[in-house]
Amino acid sequence: MSTLNNAFADRPISLTAPSGIDRAAHHRLDEAWLAAAWSHPSTRVFVVSGGQVLIDDRPDGTTELVMTPAFEAPMTETHRYFLGTDTDGVSYFALQKDSLPGRMDQSARPAGLREAGLLLSPRDAGLMTHAVALENWQRLHRFCSRCGERTVIAAAGHIRRCPVCGAEHYPRTDPAVIMLVTDDQDRALLGRQVHWPEGRFSTLAGFVEPGESIEQAVVREVFEEAGVTVGEVGYVASQPWPFPSSLMLGFFARATSPEIEVDGEEIHEARWFSREDLEAGFASGEILPPYGISIASRLIELWYGKPLPKPGDVV
């Protein structure tokens, strides 16, 4: 669509950069291979608990996921998830525990994906995203939806099986659409959710409903939340969003009418912004950009033509 600014088209979206990890799904049912991989001295392991991991802020300014050899990892009977291998043949596992280990040194600290995803390398961010998504699903789907019995973990954390009725359950991913809407003046429609701080604006978003295409979801959500009708819809990119189990599908959309009528439930305020309006709002502090990890930031940047300010930046 004409809104796209190609200067930013090739820059990776947070949590989507190539991680260098092969998920090696063909090994998940090979118990002998998994046992050998677990016992190999090069294997690296980290703990995930409540969506958090331990990260380490290094003296050189980088941040790393805290990992240990398997023989130093905390004991667990079943909650051990195989995440894949890298090009050097190193295998990676995550352990789901009720709590994170104590601080391993003075610099290690717990962090969730919203913070760590912006700090970690593509490899570490990819591993953490995979592990957090599995942990979320495992914690919320312990019982069989057919018969109600407790299920057991299989396929190195990627399946839950019911020992009674034999049903297999797989990790759930809920598709959600997120869209930057523009009008015939190339202004962007941004909204503020009811629970957001004053001045924080972002793109509109919502879940895809049963029996609905993703394009239909864009049209419906924009109208439901802001009362704006949409015509042309164009796909841009996607982003894993394990909060707890979504895949964000990013779009540009063109409004066919400029009238705004917010729903008052999800969206408290919505406005049309020109690029000049947005720049002036950032400069005055009246407008706060969306959180940097979200694909919303990239959608706005592609229209805006330059990076959005980060917290504390002077525009």
PDB file of all heavy atoms in Angstrom, residues 20-22 33 37 40-45 67 82-93 123 127:
ATOM      1  N   GLY A  20      18.857 -18.243  14.433  1.00  0.00           N
ATOM      2  CA  GLY A  20      19.906 -19.233  14.241  1.00  0.00           C
ATOM      3  C   GLY A  20      19.608 -20.564  14.906  1.00  0.00           C
ATOM      4  O   GLY A  20      20.472 -21.451  14.944  1.00  0.00           O
ATOM      5  N   ILE A  21      18.392 -20.719  15.431  1.00  0.00           N
ATOM      6  CA  ILE A  21      18.001 -21.957  16.108  1.00  0.00           C
ATOM      7  C   ILE A  21      17.112 -22.782  15.188  1.00  0.00           C
ATOM      8  O   ILE A  21      16.116 -22.285  14.663  1.00  0.00           O
ATOM      9  CB  ILE A  21      17.243 -21.676  17.419  1.00  0.00           C
ATOM     10  CG1 ILE A  21      18.128 -20.880  18.388  1.00  0.00           C
ATOM     11  CG2 ILE A  21      16.760 -22.970  18.069  1.00  0.00           C
ATOM     12  CD1 ILE A  21      19.352 -21.634  18.869  1.00  0.00           C
ATOM     13  N   ASP A  22      17.485 -24.040  15.002  1.00  0.00           N
ATOM     14  CA  ASP A  22      16.648 -25.011  14.309  1.00  0.00           C
ATOM     15  C   ASP A  22      15.809 -25.708  15.370  1.00  0.00           C
ATOM     16  O   ASP A  22      16.355 -26.351  16.276  1.00  0.00           O
ATOM     17  CB  ASP A  22      17.530 -26.017  13.572  1.00  0.00           C
ATOM     18  CG  ASP A  22      16.739 -27.105  12.855  1.00  0.00           C
ATOM     19  OD1 ASP A  22      15.492 -27.121  12.964  1.00  0.00           O
ATOM     20  OD2 ASP A  22      17.379 -27.948  12.196  1.00  0.00           O
ATOM     21  N   TRP A  33      17.358 -39.843  21.705  1.00  0.00           N
ATOM     22  CA  TRP A  33      18.111 -38.664  21.246  1.00  0.00           C
ATOM     23  C   TRP A  33      18.018 -37.552  22.278  1.00  0.00           C
ATOM     24  O   TRP A  33      19.018 -36.890  22.577  1.00  0.00           O
ATOM     25  CB  TRP A  33      17.565 -38.181  19.901  1.00  0.00           C
ATOM     26  CG  TRP A  33      18.403 -37.077  19.310  1.00  0.00           C
ATOM     27  CD1 TRP A  33      19.424 -37.194  18.429  1.00  0.00           C
ATOM     28  CD2 TRP A  33      18.285 -35.663  19.611  1.00  0.00           C
ATOM     29  NE1 TRP A  33      19.969 -35.957  18.145  1.00  0.00           N
ATOM     30  CE2 TRP A  33      19.286 -35.003  18.867  1.00  0.00           C
ATOM     31  CE3 TRP A  33      17.454 -34.911  20.423  1.00  0.00           C
ATOM     32  CZ2 TRP A  33      19.469 -33.627  18.901  1.00  0.00           C
ATOM     33  CZ3 TRP A  33      17.639 -33.528  20.482  1.00  0.00           C
ATOM     34  CH2 TRP A  33      18.628 -32.913  19.727  1.00  0.00           C
ATOM     35  N   ALA A  37      21.067 -35.750  24.157  1.00  0.00           N
ATOM     36  CA  ALA A  37      21.261 -34.305  24.043  1.00  0.00           C
ATOM     37  C   ALA A  37      21.314 -33.662  25.427  1.00  0.00           C
ATOM     38  O   ALA A  37      22.142 -32.777  25.690  1.00  0.00           O
ATOM     39  CB  ALA A  37      20.143 -33.685  23.208  1.00  0.00           C
ATOM     40  N   HIS A  40      24.704 -34.164  27.088  1.00  0.00           N
ATOM     41  CA  HIS A  40      25.891 -33.681  26.382  1.00  0.00           C
ATOM     42  C   HIS A  40      26.457 -32.444  27.088  1.00  0.00           C
ATOM     43  O   HIS A  40      25.709 -31.556  27.506  1.00  0.00           O
ATOM     44  CB  HIS A  40      25.551 -33.336  24.935  1.00  0.00           C
ATOM     45  CG  HIS A  40      26.744 -33.236  24.054  1.00  0.00           C
ATOM     46  ND1 HIS A  40      27.541 -32.114  24.005  1.00  0.00           N
ATOM     47  CD2 HIS A  40      27.312 -34.132  23.196  1.00  0.00           C
ATOM     48  CE1 HIS A  40      28.528 -32.307  23.158  1.00  0.00           C
ATOM     49  NE2 HIS A  40      28.417 -33.519  22.644  1.00  0.00           N
ATOM     50  N   PRO A  41      27.781 -32.341  27.218  1.00  0.00           N
ATOM     51  CA  PRO A  41      28.364 -31.207  27.969  1.00  0.00           C
ATOM     52  C   PRO A  41      28.141 -29.847  27.326  1.00  0.00           C
ATOM     53  O   PRO A  41      28.220 -28.818  28.012  1.00  0.00           O
ATOM     54  CB  PRO A  41      29.858 -31.552  28.011  1.00  0.00           C
ATOM     55  CG  PRO A  41      30.076 -32.561  26.924  1.00  0.00           C
ATOM     56  CD  PRO A  41      28.798 -33.330  26.827  1.00  0.00           C
ATOM     57  N   SER A  42      27.851 -29.814  26.026  1.00  0.00           N
ATOM     58  CA  SER A  42      27.642 -28.514  25.374  1.00  0.00           C
ATOM     59  C   SER A  42      26.218 -27.976  25.520  1.00  0.00           C
ATOM     60  O   SER A  42      25.958 -26.801  25.235  1.00  0.00           O
ATOM     61  CB  SER A  42      27.987 -28.611  23.880  1.00  0.00           C
ATOM     62  OG  SER A  42      27.032 -29.417  23.203  1.00  0.00           O
ATOM     63  N   THR A  43      25.297 -28.826  25.960  1.00  0.00           N
ATOM     64  CA  THR A  43      23.884 -28.427  26.063  1.00  0.00           C
ATOM     65  C   THR A  43      23.712 -27.281  27.060  1.00  0.00           C
ATOM     66  O   THR A  43      24.346 -27.252  28.111  1.00  0.00           O
ATOM     67  CB  THR A  43      23.033 -29.642  26.481  1.00  0.00           C
ATOM     68  OG1 THR A  43      23.027 -30.573  25.404  1.00  0.00           O
ATOM     69  CG2 THR A  43      21.598 -29.242  26.787  1.00  0.00           C
ATOM     70  N   ARG A  44      22.824 -26.357  26.716  1.00  0.00           N
ATOM     71  CA  ARG A  44      22.566 -25.217  27.585  1.00  0.00           C
ATOM     72  C   ARG A  44      21.094 -25.183  27.989  1.00  0.00           C
ATOM     73  O   ARG A  44      20.202 -25.482  27.191  1.00  0.00           O
ATOM     74  CB  ARG A  44      22.948 -23.907  26.895  1.00  0.00           C
ATOM     75  CG  ARG A  44      24.472 -23.758  26.740  1.00  0.00           C
ATOM     76  CD  ARG A  44      25.123 -23.673  28.121  1.00  0.00           C
ATOM     77  NE  ARG A  44      26.575 -23.608  28.073  1.00  0.00           N
ATOM     78  CZ  ARG A  44      27.389 -24.660  28.186  1.00  0.00           C
ATOM     79  NH1 ARG A  44      26.872 -25.883  28.320  1.00  0.00           N
ATOM     80  NH2 ARG A  44      28.692 -24.502  28.170  1.00  0.00           N
ATOM     81  N   VAL A  45      20.866 -24.795  29.256  1.00  0.00           N
ATOM     82  CA  VAL A  45      19.547 -24.873  29.880  1.00  0.00           C
ATOM     83  C   VAL A  45      19.259 -23.568  30.616  1.00  0.00           C
ATOM     84  O   VAL A  45      20.161 -22.963  31.204  1.00  0.00           O
ATOM     85  CB  VAL A  45      19.501 -26.049  30.889  1.00  0.00           C
ATOM     86  CG1 VAL A  45      18.129 -26.159  31.530  1.00  0.00           C
ATOM     87  CG2 VAL A  45      19.896 -27.351  30.213  1.00  0.00           C
ATOM     88  N   MET A  67      22.123 -19.041  31.142  1.00  0.00           N
ATOM     89  CA  MET A  67      22.017 -20.471  30.849  1.00  0.00           C
ATOM     90  C   MET A  67      23.145 -21.225  31.523  1.00  0.00           C
ATOM     91  O   MET A  67      24.226 -20.676  31.769  1.00  0.00           O
ATOM     92  CB  MET A  67      22.038 -20.704  29.336  1.00  0.00           C
ATOM     93  CG  MET A  67      20.816 -20.164  28.624  1.00  0.00           C
ATOM     94  SD  MET A  67      20.726 -20.604  26.858  1.00  0.00           S
ATOM     95  CE  MET A  67      21.722 -19.283  26.155  1.00  0.00           C
ATOM     96  N   PHE A  82      12.404 -29.133  25.048  1.00  0.00           N
ATOM     97  CA  PHE A  82      13.462 -29.036  24.047  1.00  0.00           C
ATOM     98  C   PHE A  82      13.114 -27.926  23.075  1.00  0.00           C
ATOM     99  O   PHE A  82      12.053 -27.921  22.455  1.00  0.00           O
ATOM    100  CB  PHE A  82      13.606 -30.376  23.306  1.00  0.00           C
ATOM    101  CG  PHE A  82      14.544 -30.310  22.131  1.00  0.00           C
ATOM    102  CD1 PHE A  82      15.876 -29.954  22.295  1.00  0.00           C
ATOM    103  CD2 PHE A  82      14.087 -30.605  20.857  1.00  0.00           C
ATOM    104  CE1 PHE A  82      16.729 -29.889  21.204  1.00  0.00           C
ATOM    105  CE2 PHE A  82      14.928 -30.554  19.756  1.00  0.00           C
ATOM    106  CZ  PHE A  82      16.258 -30.188  19.934  1.00  0.00           C
ATOM    107  N   LEU A  83      14.031 -26.965  22.918  1.00  0.00           N
ATOM    108  CA  LEU A  83      13.777 -25.789  22.097  1.00  0.00           C
ATOM    109  C   LEU A  83      14.466 -25.824  20.742  1.00  0.00           C
ATOM    110  O   LEU A  83      14.062 -25.083  19.835  1.00  0.00           O
ATOM    111  CB  LEU A  83      14.216 -24.522  22.846  1.00  0.00           C
ATOM    112  CG  LEU A  83      13.589 -24.308  24.224  1.00  0.00           C
ATOM    113  CD1 LEU A  83      14.154 -23.049  24.865  1.00  0.00           C
ATOM    114  CD2 LEU A  83      12.072 -24.246  24.132  1.00  0.00           C
ATOM    115  N   GLY A  84      15.508 -26.664  20.593  1.00  0.00           N
ATOM    116  CA  GLY A  84      16.179 -26.763  19.300  1.00  0.00           C
ATOM    117  C   GLY A  84      17.682 -26.800  19.424  1.00  0.00           C
ATOM    118  O   GLY A  84      18.249 -26.917  20.524  1.00  0.00           O
ATOM    119  N   THR A  85      18.350 -26.703  18.284  1.00  0.00           N
ATOM    120  CA  THR A  85      19.807 -26.740  18.217  1.00  0.00           C
ATOM    121  C   THR A  85      20.306 -25.578  17.365  1.00  0.00           C
ATOM    122  O   THR A  85      19.580 -25.052  16.520  1.00  0.00           O
ATOM    123  CB  THR A  85      20.302 -28.065  17.601  1.00  0.00           C
ATOM    124  OG1 THR A  85      19.788 -28.177  16.265  1.00  0.00           O
ATOM    125  CG2 THR A  85      19.821 -29.264  18.412  1.00  0.00           C
ATOM    126  N   ASP A  86      21.570 -25.198  17.580  1.00  0.00           N
ATOM    127  CA  ASP A  86      22.142 -24.146  16.737  1.00  0.00           C
ATOM    128  C   ASP A  86      23.090 -24.758  15.708  1.00  0.00           C
ATOM    129  O   ASP A  86      23.231 -25.980  15.613  1.00  0.00           O
ATOM    130  CB  ASP A  86      22.824 -23.069  17.583  1.00  0.00           C
ATOM    131  CG  ASP A  86      24.034 -23.586  18.366  1.00  0.00           C
ATOM    132  OD1 ASP A  86      24.576 -24.669  18.013  1.00  0.00           O
ATOM    133  OD2 ASP A  86      24.454 -22.904  19.316  1.00  0.00           O
ATOM    134  N   THR A  87      23.730 -23.917  14.918  1.00  0.00           N
ATOM    135  CA  THR A  87      24.583 -24.395  13.822  1.00  0.00           C
ATOM    136  C   THR A  87      25.836 -25.105  14.323  1.00  0.00           C
ATOM    137  O   THR A  87      26.483 -25.825  13.565  1.00  0.00           O
ATOM    138  CB  THR A  87      24.988 -23.220  12.914  1.00  0.00           C
ATOM    139  OG1 THR A  87      25.596 -22.193  13.714  1.00  0.00           O
ATOM    140  CG2 THR A  87      23.774 -22.652  12.205  1.00  0.00           C
ATOM    141  N   ASP A  88      26.184 -24.905  15.601  1.00  0.00           N
ATOM    142  CA  ASP A  88      27.333 -25.600  16.184  1.00  0.00           C
ATOM    143  C   ASP A  88      26.938 -26.921  16.831  1.00  0.00           C
ATOM    144  O   ASP A  88      27.781 -27.590  17.434  1.00  0.00           O
ATOM    145  CB  ASP A  88      28.012 -24.706  17.230  1.00  0.00           C
ATOM    146  CG  ASP A  88      28.629 -23.466  16.607  1.00  0.00           C
ATOM    147  OD1 ASP A  88      29.153 -23.570  15.478  1.00  0.00           O
ATOM    148  OD2 ASP A  88      28.572 -22.396  17.241  1.00  0.00           O
ATOM    149  N   GLY A  89      25.648 -27.277  16.742  1.00  0.00           N
ATOM    150  CA  GLY A  89      25.189 -28.528  17.337  1.00  0.00           C
ATOM    151  C   GLY A  89      24.846 -28.429  18.808  1.00  0.00           C
ATOM    152  O   GLY A  89      24.573 -29.456  19.449  1.00  0.00           O
ATOM    153  N   VAL A  90      24.835 -27.224  19.369  1.00  0.00           N
ATOM    154  CA  VAL A  90      24.454 -27.050  20.771  1.00  0.00           C
ATOM    155  C   VAL A  90      22.937 -27.184  20.900  1.00  0.00           C
ATOM    156  O   VAL A  90      22.183 -26.573  20.138  1.00  0.00           O
ATOM    157  CB  VAL A  90      24.909 -25.671  21.293  1.00  0.00           C
ATOM    158  CG1 VAL A  90      24.426 -25.451  22.734  1.00  0.00           C
ATOM    159  CG2 VAL A  90      26.422 -25.541  21.212  1.00  0.00           C
ATOM    160  N   SER A  91      22.497 -27.977  21.867  1.00  0.00           N
ATOM    161  CA  SER A  91      21.066 -28.154  22.122  1.00  0.00           C
ATOM    162  C   SER A  91      20.634 -27.239  23.259  1.00  0.00           C
ATOM    163  O   SER A  91      21.395 -26.981  24.197  1.00  0.00           O
ATOM    164  CB  SER A  91      20.762 -29.610  22.497  1.00  0.00           C
ATOM    165  OG  SER A  91      21.080 -30.477  21.433  1.00  0.00           O
ATOM    166  N   TYR A  92      19.381 -26.762  23.180  1.00  0.00           N
ATOM    167  CA  TYR A  92      18.850 -25.836  24.177  1.00  0.00           C
ATOM    168  C   TYR A  92      17.556 -26.389  24.760  1.00  0.00           C
ATOM    169  O   TYR A  92      16.677 -26.856  24.030  1.00  0.00           O
ATOM    170  CB  TYR A  92      18.596 -24.465  23.553  1.00  0.00           C
ATOM    171  CG  TYR A  92      19.855 -23.796  23.064  1.00  0.00           C
ATOM    172  CD1 TYR A  92      20.315 -24.016  21.771  1.00  0.00           C
ATOM    173  CD2 TYR A  92      20.599 -22.970  23.905  1.00  0.00           C
ATOM    174  CE1 TYR A  92      21.484 -23.422  21.317  1.00  0.00           C
ATOM    175  CE2 TYR A  92      21.772 -22.374  23.461  1.00  0.00           C
ATOM    176  CZ  TYR A  92      22.203 -22.599  22.165  1.00  0.00           C
ATOM    177  OH  TYR A  92      23.367 -22.009  21.726  1.00  0.00           O
ATOM    178  N   PHE A  93      17.471 -26.325  26.099  1.00  0.00           N
ATOM    179  CA  PHE A  93      16.282 -26.761  26.822  1.00  0.00           C
ATOM    180  C   PHE A  93      15.837 -25.653  27.780  1.00  0.00           C
ATOM    181  O   PHE A  93      16.653 -24.877  28.272  1.00  0.00           O
ATOM    182  CB  PHE A  93      16.578 -28.009  27.657  1.00  0.00           C
ATOM    183  CG  PHE A  93      16.777 -29.277  26.877  1.00  0.00           C
ATOM    184  CD1 PHE A  93      18.000 -29.547  26.279  1.00  0.00           C
ATOM    185  CD2 PHE A  93      15.751 -30.206  26.750  1.00  0.00           C
ATOM    186  CE1 PHE A  93      18.203 -30.731  25.573  1.00  0.00           C
ATOM    187  CE2 PHE A  93      15.938 -31.380  26.045  1.00  0.00           C
ATOM    188  CZ  PHE A  93      17.168 -31.650  25.448  1.00  0.00           C
ATOM    189  N   ARG A 123      19.124 -14.745  19.082  1.00  0.00           N
ATOM    190  CA  ARG A 123      19.103 -16.142  19.554  1.00  0.00           C
ATOM    191  C   ARG A 123      18.418 -16.245  20.904  1.00  0.00           C
ATOM    192  O   ARG A 123      17.499 -17.056  21.094  1.00  0.00           O
ATOM    193  CB  ARG A 123      20.531 -16.683  19.665  1.00  0.00           C
ATOM    194  CG  ARG A 123      20.587 -18.165  20.056  1.00  0.00           C
ATOM    195  CD  ARG A 123      21.905 -18.560  20.679  1.00  0.00           C
ATOM    196  NE  ARG A 123      22.100 -17.938  21.990  1.00  0.00           N
ATOM    197  CZ  ARG A 123      23.150 -18.159  22.774  1.00  0.00           C
ATOM    198  NH1 ARG A 123      24.111 -18.964  22.371  1.00  0.00           N
ATOM    199  NH2 ARG A 123      23.257 -17.558  23.952  1.00  0.00           N
ATOM    200  N   LEU A 127      14.759 -18.004  21.840  1.00  0.00           N
ATOM    201  CA  LEU A 127      14.648 -19.084  22.815  1.00  0.00           C
ATOM    202  C   LEU A 127      13.663 -18.722  23.919  1.00  0.00           C
ATOM    203  O   LEU A 127      12.824 -19.539  24.319  1.00  0.00           O
ATOM    204  CB  LEU A 127      16.020 -19.394  23.420  1.00  0.00           C
ATOM    205  CG  LEU A 127      17.042 -20.059  22.500  1.00  0.00           C
ATOM    206  CD1 LEU A 127      18.424 -20.055  23.151  1.00  0.00           C
ATOM    207  CD2 LEU A 127      16.631 -21.494  22.154  1.00  0.00           C
TER     208      LEU A 127
END
